[in-house]
């Protein structure tokens, strides 16, 4: 396989370029693994080494010193004393220099090669044998580099804390050291290779590869790494090279104390006792024993398993490798496999994390030409990741390993990780070199690396090489199909997608389209399972190839067009829309983002990503209401965890900047609490706390920039947010306290006073704010307010204040005297209640018993004004905004003079604001209530009042569609020991349709009903009516009757609404007898209030189901006899009765229209539609139907509606004039009438009868998934089945089932198609040429 003209360099053999003498000098200079800081290696010095090298930790263990130095003495005291020759001042190089001169004098001819002895290296000695201070310091430096010392360093709780930057630099030192040593090893190997021809050495049998860590890097130990590696022939082993290397990389022999201790370490690894390995390894080094390669494998396993923080694994592993080279132990295949895979996976992880952080920067940062991160800590973390050089170290180690051993030493998985990492990071030349080595040794490749390789070639525009890479994959796939060569984890579709993406990125769209068509044709021609394979191929190629390329190029409109026009399964289309929406929203393309978001059909964690992007987009553009709706959906998600820290901060920050300070802080506080609760580990919990501290700084900074003074309640909430998280955050805490003056303190509740008193006491007693006049004055006012309250202080507050008094004794003795007096009086009162709490308690602390009739706010109530407001709001005529505005004006005037209304007034105002849809007013009212009548749990009257306020807030949030906010207030109510009323639970049920995408409303209604009972709520008639109504719509008549019976058994008298609901449910299931019995019972009830709905239900039942005109007219007569005014729907039923039921009386039907006019009612489109349907469908009078339609359209009083067009469409289909419907569709669009699912059902049925399934499908696609009804799915299923399109019909049924309709609704559609088993097959690769 040919990639580049220089590919052959990776396969060249190394020629002889060095002489023996020089090679041995290189060996001598590299007896220690560390290069001297005073003698740089020149080309062997890496960039990271020159940048981050530390002289104190990079000294040679054996330098060219005089034996009289301390190091020389210590060397002599080691287990192997150097020979006199080796202890020469020149380090033994003089003998080699003399031999080299002699060789030059003889013209390069030498009779016999001679080995000269070098000074033996110095081993580590215990501190007890060190004779002086210098040696002690030297031992400390060396000990700090041992692998056991690396493992003993404390773990960081956070991924990158403040001190982590220095740790990263230490990591760079180790990495630089490893690179230098690896390059020296390369030079040594070249020398040995050059000397093999002139120096024959005896050969021996090759040793097998040792056991190693399993490649999954999860800490488990596998038996070997030889799986997936082809067996090398004996003659391929470079025996002379191995023998020469073994002359200085010595091994321990079996049975010696060295091997016994190494075997003990290996056994520790095999028994998963990793924590004991560093200690045992340290003891071995202290005893002067040289560890074996198996022992180093065990130490490497411990270095991977033991660190708690992921970022510590790589530096510890590199420390083990450095120690191994220092001890002159040759790494085996197991060690290299584990280390290379660790480094390559680290490089892949860094690339993934950087991409994720870049996406966050675009989404949540300032949308400028150079966007910044929302959090400053992210900037530092990104800078650290940008300097990560794990990949460069891995490439150096791989190259060194290849040069030292001609055979491959690593598995297929390591090749795959290395090649993928190189491809992702743009290291194309290294990628080619590694892949060439894989090919040379016939290693079984893994298919998942080819897509990354193809894209890496195409990224700079090299399409030709990308295609050659694909052709190589194609050849392997063909051989794999034929059984000649194995290709692991076939990824044909992903490879196709990479090729098509490469064509598009190089501007060759036509070539990509031809290749795509070729793939589709090959799949269509497959004999079996063609459709399933075609769907899979289209989904993967379109999403990962065509769409992703457009998104990378910023062409969001084109990507959206591809997603809409190309054939994909519904799930794949929704996934594509998520990608498009996220990318478009992050890049401020609002039009494309909104369109894509509306087309997302499934609710999944991926959909949450699109919602987050849309939330950030709306916030950046100041669209608060749209952001609120999205926030409600996100907050209700079960996946609310630490990943929501940025959107929560951004949402709160923007709300604060737009003036919604209290709402923003409240939402942030509750969201942060949920995130902390979701943390599974202590490390994650601490990371969330640090992020929340940054978020609080940003929110406080927004208040400062906007020069906005927050309300007292908002300031207290933000202070509570700090205390609940990680303590006070300066200077935000001082900023929040600055707005709390004497007037505010005077109106605070006892709980808030105690909370602020604790904060001020801690700040003053710490000494930081001892001289601050504002803090001292605020502390004095809080203390005075605490004295005035009847509740005493808890023990913790008393201790804090006592400590503060000691600090201010000399400065403010007057405050100290006042405090002593108050404490003395409190201690003398034996009956004083005590509140026990702590600084971390929530505002809803444990209540204290007080008389139920006592209300601490009674003195400030305006009872007369409260009664006037309640009368205005309860007035039946107060159904418009004017009455609400008048009540609000009186309410604000009341507060302006320092008074406030009773609790019920707040509840009524909130409910009235919800009915008018004024969301901002709702939250403003609850904020004013918290400021006026703060919640004090020790008073029963306050608890009761707040129960009514929070209950009204729950109902208001449900009314305006803020279901997540309703859940928050519901939780607050439960924490108070109360629960919503039965009518509020009824609102939970009646608002289901607007709040959820799940269509099984009956099941959810039952769950809500049972939850109400669980919370101790007595069901009301409204709650039962809401439940029975949902069950009736789902045709669960048995459940309807059960709850109807239960309602009466509990003594709750059914209302006319109840009877109407149950009668309507019985009519839906054609239970005529029972319906009429209940209807008669309803009319005989003493509390019966006549309503038209039950009469209309029975009239419609006998009209559409029984087709009995006499019964219809009978119930109409009973309705009139009860003086019930017929509704517009009643007149429509009468028209249908006269015009469609035998005997047909069209004159009477048209006379109904005249009767309506006589009674002062104007006929509407629905009445004309009834006449059109009667003439066109019942009488088959198409001309008369069209004339009635034209009359209605000509009447300016009749507004064009879908029902009128639907009646004419039904008439056309019934008279086989479906071809004429296309002109009528255009006319409907010109009048601004939207397509409805019922019109689509009619036309789908018509085109199916005309054998034109394509036009039927076009109408089905036009209606859109969000508007499709179960009847629409049924119509399209029948249309496909009539055209022998069983597979397409199956897709329609699967989409219907994915929407969560009740089984009673879906069963009849499922029965049409039956069951189709899944199938699978393989495909043949597709040829491709440029």
């Amino acid at each position: 396989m040919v990639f580049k003209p220089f590919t052959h360099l990776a396969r060249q053999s190394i020629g002889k370029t060095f002489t023996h003498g020089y090679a041995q000098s290189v060996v001598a200079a590299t007896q220690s693994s560390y290069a001297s800081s005073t003698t740089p290696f020149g080309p062997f010095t890496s960039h990271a080494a020159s940048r981050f090298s530390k002289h104190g930790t990079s000294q040679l263990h054996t330098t060219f010193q005089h034996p009289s130095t301390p190091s020389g003495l210590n060397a002599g005291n080691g287990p192997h004393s150097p020979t006199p020759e080796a202890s020469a001042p020149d380090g033994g190089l003089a003998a080699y220099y003399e031999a080299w001169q002699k060789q030059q004098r003889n013209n390069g001819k030498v009779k016999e090669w001679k080995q000269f002895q070098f000074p033996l290296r110095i081993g580590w000695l215990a501190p007890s044998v060190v004779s002086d201070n210098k040696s002690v310091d030297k031992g400390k430096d060396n000990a700090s580099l041992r692998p056991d010392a690396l493992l003993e360093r404390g773990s960081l709780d956070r991924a990158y804390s403040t001190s982590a930057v220095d740790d990263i630099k230490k990591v760079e030192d180790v990495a630089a050291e490893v690179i230098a040593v690896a390059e020296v090893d390369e030079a040594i190997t070249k020398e040995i290779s050059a000397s093999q021809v002139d120096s024959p050495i005896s050969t021996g049998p090759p040793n097998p590869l040792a056991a190693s860590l399993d490649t999954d890097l999860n800490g488990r130990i596998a038996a070997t790494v030889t799986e997936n590696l082809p067996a090398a022939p004996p003659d391929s082993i470079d025996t002379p090279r191995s023998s020469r290397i073994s002359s200085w990389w010595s091994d321990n022999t079996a049975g010696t104390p060295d091997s016994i201790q190494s075997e003990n370490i290996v056994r520790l690894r095999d028994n998963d006792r990793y924590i004991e390995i560093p200690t045992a390894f340290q003891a071995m080094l202290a005893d002067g024993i040289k560890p074996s390669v198996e022992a180093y494998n065990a130490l490497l396993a411990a270095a991977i398993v033991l660190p708690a923080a992921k970022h510590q694994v790589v530096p510890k592993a590199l420390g083990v490798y450095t120690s191994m080279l220092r001890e002159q132990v040759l790494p085996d295949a197991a060690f290299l496999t584990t280390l290379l895979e660790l480094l390559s996976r680290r490089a892949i992880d860094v690339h993934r994390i950087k991409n994720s952080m870049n996406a966050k920067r675009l989404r949540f940062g300032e949308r400028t030409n150079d966007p910044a991160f929302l959090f400053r800590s992210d900037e530092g973390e990104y800078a650290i990741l940008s300097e990560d050089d794990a990949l460069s170290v891995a490439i150096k180690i791989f190259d060194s390993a290849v040069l030292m051993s001609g055979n491959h030493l690593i598995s297929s998985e390591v090749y795959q990780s290395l090649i993928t990492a190189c491809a992702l990071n743009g290291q194309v030349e290294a990628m080619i070199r590694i892949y060439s080595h894989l090919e040379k040794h016939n290693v079984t490749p893994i298919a998942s690396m080819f897509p990354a390789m193809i894209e890496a070639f195409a990224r700079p525009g090299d399409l030709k090489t990308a295609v050659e890479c694909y052709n190589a994959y194609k050849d392997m796939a063909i051989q794999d199909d034929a059984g000649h060569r194995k290709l692991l984890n076939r990824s044909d579709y992903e490879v196709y997608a990479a090729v098509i993406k490469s064509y598009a990125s190089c501007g060759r769209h036509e070539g990509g389209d031809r290749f795509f068509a070729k793939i589709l044709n090959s799949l269509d021609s497959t004999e079996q399972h063609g459709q399933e394979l075609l769907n899979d191929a289209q989904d993967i190629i379109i999403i990962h190839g065509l769409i992703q390329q457009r998104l990378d190029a910023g062409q969001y409109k084109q990507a959206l067009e591809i997603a809409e026009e190309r054939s994909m399964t519904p799930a794949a289309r929704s996934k594509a829309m998520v990608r498009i929406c996220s990318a478009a929203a992050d890049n401020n393309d609002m039009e494309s983002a909104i369109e894509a978001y509306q087309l997302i059909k499934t609710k999944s964690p991926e959909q949450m990503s699109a919602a987050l992007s849309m939330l950030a987009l709306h916030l950046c553009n100041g669209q608060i209401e749209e952001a609120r709706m999205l926030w409600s959906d996100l907050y209700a998600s079960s996946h609310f965890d630490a990943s929501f820290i940025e959107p929560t901060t951004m949402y709160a920050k923007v709300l604060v900047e737009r003036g919604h300070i209290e709402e923003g802080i409240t939402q942030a506080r509750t969201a942060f609490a949920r995130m902390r609760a979701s943390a599974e580990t202590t490390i994650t919990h601490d990371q969330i706390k640090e992020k929340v501290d940054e978020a609080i700084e940003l929110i406080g900074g927004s208040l400062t920039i906007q020069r906005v003074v927050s309300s007292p309640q908002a300031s207290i909430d933000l202070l509570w947010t700090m205390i609940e998280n990680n303590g006070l955050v300066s200077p935000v805490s001082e900023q929040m306290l600055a707005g709390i003056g004497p007037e505010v303190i005077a109106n605070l509740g006892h709980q808030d006073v105690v909370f602020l008193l604790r904060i001020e006491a801690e700040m003053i007693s710490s000494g930081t704010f001892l001289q601050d006049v504002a803090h001292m004055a605020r502390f004095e006012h809080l203390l005075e307010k605490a004295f005035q309250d009847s509740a005493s202080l808890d023990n913790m507050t008393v201790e804090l204040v006592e400590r503060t008094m000691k600090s201010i004794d000399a400065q403010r003795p007057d405050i100290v005297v006042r405090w002593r007096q108050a404490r003395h009086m409190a201690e003398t009162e034996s009956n004083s209640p005590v509140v026990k709490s702590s600084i971390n308690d929530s505002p809803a602390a444990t209540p204290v018993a007080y008389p139920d009739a006592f209300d601490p706010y009674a003195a400030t109530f305006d009872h007369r004004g409260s009664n006037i407001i309640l009368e205005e709001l309860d007035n039946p005529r107060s159904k418009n905004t004017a009455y609400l505005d008048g009540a609000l004006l009186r309410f604000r005037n009341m507060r302006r003079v320092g008074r406030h209304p009773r609790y019920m007034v707040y509840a009524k105002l909130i409910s009235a604001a919800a009915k008018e849809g004024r969301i901002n007013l709702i939250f403003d009212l609850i904020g004013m209530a918290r400021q006026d009548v703060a919640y004090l749990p020790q008073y029963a009257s306050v608890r009761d009042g707040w129960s009514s306020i929070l209950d009204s807030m729950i109902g208001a949030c449900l009314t305006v569609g803020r279901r997540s906010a309703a859940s928050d207030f519901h939780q607050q109510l439960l924490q108070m020991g109360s629960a919503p009323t039965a009518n509020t639970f009824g609102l939970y049920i009646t608002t289901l349709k607007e709040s959820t995408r799940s269509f099984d409303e009956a099941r959810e209604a039952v769950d809500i009903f049972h939850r109400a009972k669980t919370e101790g709520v007595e069901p009301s008639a409204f709650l039962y009516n809401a439940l029975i109504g949902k069950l009736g719509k789902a045709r669960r008549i048995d459940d309807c009757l059960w709850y109807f019976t239960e309602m009466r058994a509990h003594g709750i008298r059914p209302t006319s609404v109840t009877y109407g609901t149950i009668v309507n449910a019985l009519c839906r299931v054609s239970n005529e007898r029972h319906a009429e019995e209940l209807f008669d019972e309803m009319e005989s009830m003493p509390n019966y209030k006549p309503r038209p709905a039950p009469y209309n239900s029975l009239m419609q039942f006998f009209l559409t189901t029984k087709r009995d005109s006499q019964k219809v007219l009978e119930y109409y007569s009973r309705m009139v006899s009860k003086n019930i005014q017929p509704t517009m729907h009643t007149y429509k039923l009468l028209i249908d009765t006269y015009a469609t039921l035998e005997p047909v009386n069209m004159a009477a039907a048209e006379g109904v229209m005249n009767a309506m006019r006589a009674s002062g009612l104007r006929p509407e489109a629905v009445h004309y539609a009834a006449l059109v349907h009667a003439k066109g469908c019942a009488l088959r009078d198409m001309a008369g139907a069209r004339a009635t339609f034209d009359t209605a359209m000509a009447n300016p009083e009749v507004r064009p509606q879908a029902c009128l067009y639907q009646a004419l469409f039904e008439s056309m289909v019934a008279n086989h004039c479906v071809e004429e419907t296309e002109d009528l569709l255009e006319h409907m669009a010109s009048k601004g009438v939207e397509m409805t699912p019922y019109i689509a059902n009619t036309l789908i049925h018509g085109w199916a009868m005309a054998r034109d399934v394509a036009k039927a499908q076009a109408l089905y696609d036009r209606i859109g998934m969000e508007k499709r009804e179960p009847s629409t799915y049924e119509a399209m299923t029948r249309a496909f089945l009539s055209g022998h399109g069983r597979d397409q019909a199956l897709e329609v049924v699967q989409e219907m089932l994915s929407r969560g309709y009740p089984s009673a609704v879906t069963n009849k559609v499922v029965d049409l198609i039956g069951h189709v088993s899944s199938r699978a097959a393989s495909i043949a690769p597709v040829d491709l040429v440029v």
Side-chain angles (χ1 to χ4, degrees), residues 452-528:
M453 293 175 64
I454 294 171
E455 293 184 20
F457 286 126
R459 201 170 292 124
D462 189 359
L463 180 61
K464 181 177 180 181
T465 309
V467 172
E468 289 183 4
C469 183
Y470 165 75
N471 289 332
Y473 175 83
K474 181 194 67 176
D475 295 339
M476 294 178 192
I478 294 174
Q479 294 178 20
D480 181 52
D481 291 339
H484 300 313
R485 181 177 183 178
K486 190 176 182 181
L487 182 61
L488 300 176
N489 302 331
R490 290 280 291 273
S491 304
D492 294 353
Y493 298 151
E494 287 76 8
V495 172
Y496 295 155
V499 173
I500 293 175
K501 182 179 179 182
S502 300
Y503 267 104
S505 62
C506 294
R508 298 281 299 277
H509 296 282
E510 298 82 4
D513 292 339
R514 288 196 300 270
F515 181 57
F516 191 21
K518 200 171 184 180
I519 295 172
L520 298 183
N521 292 334
S522 69
L523 294 174
D524 285 337
S525 62
T526 306
E527 294 181 359
Q528 289 183 333

Side-chain angles (χ1 to χ4, degrees), residues 816-1066:
V816 178
V817 171
R818 178 75 180 91
W819 166 253
R820 304 297 182 205
Q821 294 174 351
R823 287 299 302 155
H824 177 72
M825 294 175 61
E827 290 173 357
T828 58
E829 297 178 2
S830 58
N831 296 327
S832 297
V834 178
V835 179
K836 296 181 179 180
S837 62
S838 64
I839 192 66
N840 288 323
D841 289 342
S842 65
T846 305
V848 180
Y850 282 93
D852 291 344
F854 179 73
D855 194 324
Y857 303 111
T860 55
F861 280 149
D862 188 340
H863 294 279
R864 182 173 177 274
S866 300
N867 292 334
I868 294 174
I869 294 175
L870 291 175
E871 289 177 1
E872 289 180 352
L873 294 177
D874 292 336
N875 192 328
R877 296 176 297 172
S878 60
K879 300 299 182 183
N880 52 41
T881 307
Y883 282 93
L884 176 59
D885 291 339
L888 287 172
L889 180 61
R890 188 178 298 278
F891 169 71
R892 292 192 176 99
N893 291 335
M894 187 187 303
R895 296 182 73 245
R896 193 173 291 113
V897 296
R899 310 282 285 180
H900 53 79
R902 298 200 305 269
Y903 305 102
M904 185 54 64
V905 175
Y906 293 99
K908 290 286 187 180
L909 285 172
I910 289 170
S911 300
K915 292 177 182 178
E916 296 293 332
R918 299 168 68 173
I919 301 177
N920 294 337
L921 178 58
I922 294 172
F923 288 96
D924 290 342
L925 288 168
I926 188 67
M928 287 185 280
R930 284 177 174 154
Q931 185 174 351
D932 297 342
V933 286
Y935 176 64
L936 301 177
Q938 61 267 34
Y939 303 105
S941 59
V942 178
R943 293 198 302 271
D944 294 341
W946 269 99
S947 296
S948 62
I949 294 175
L950 291 180
D951 182 73
S952 66
M953 277 301 299
I954 297 171
C957 291
L958 292 172
T959 302
V960 298
R962 301 287 297 277
R963 206 170 185 85
S964 62
S967 299
D968 295 339
F969 289 112
H970 192 153
Q971 189 63 31
Q972 294 179 28
L973 195 56
L974 293 178
Q975 291 174 356
M976 291 169 48
S978 184
T981 60
N983 288 350
T984 302
F985 277 105
L987 279 176
Y988 268 113
I989 295 175
T990 57
T991 56
L992 279 174
K993 185 68 174 179
E994 294 81 14
S995 65
T996 179
R997 293 187 178 185
S998 173
F999 288 86
D1000 194 356
E1001 299 174 13
R1003 179 182 57 80
E1004 296 186 21
V1006 173
D1007 292 342
I1008 293 170
F1009 183 81
H1010 288 308
R1011 179 183 178 184
K1013 284 189 171 183
T1014 302
E1015 295 181 7
V1017 177
E1018 288 292 334
S1020 63
F1022 178 72
L1023 179 55
Y1024 274 111
N1025 292 344
L1027 176 62
I1028 293 172
K1030 292 296 182 183
L1031 293 172
K1033 288 182 180 179
R1035 293 178 172 82
R1036 293 172 56 175
I1037 192 60
D1038 292 336
D1039 292 331
C1040 288
L1041 296 174
W1042 166 267
Y1043 287 107
F1044 182 71
T1045 305
E1046 179 185 285
M1047 178 182 181
R1048 293 196 288 191
H1050 283 82
I1052 301 174
R1053 183 174 296 176
T1055 64
S1056 56
V1057 177
T1058 312
Y1059 281 107
T1061 304
I1062 197 71
V1063 167
N1064 185 41
L1066 290 168

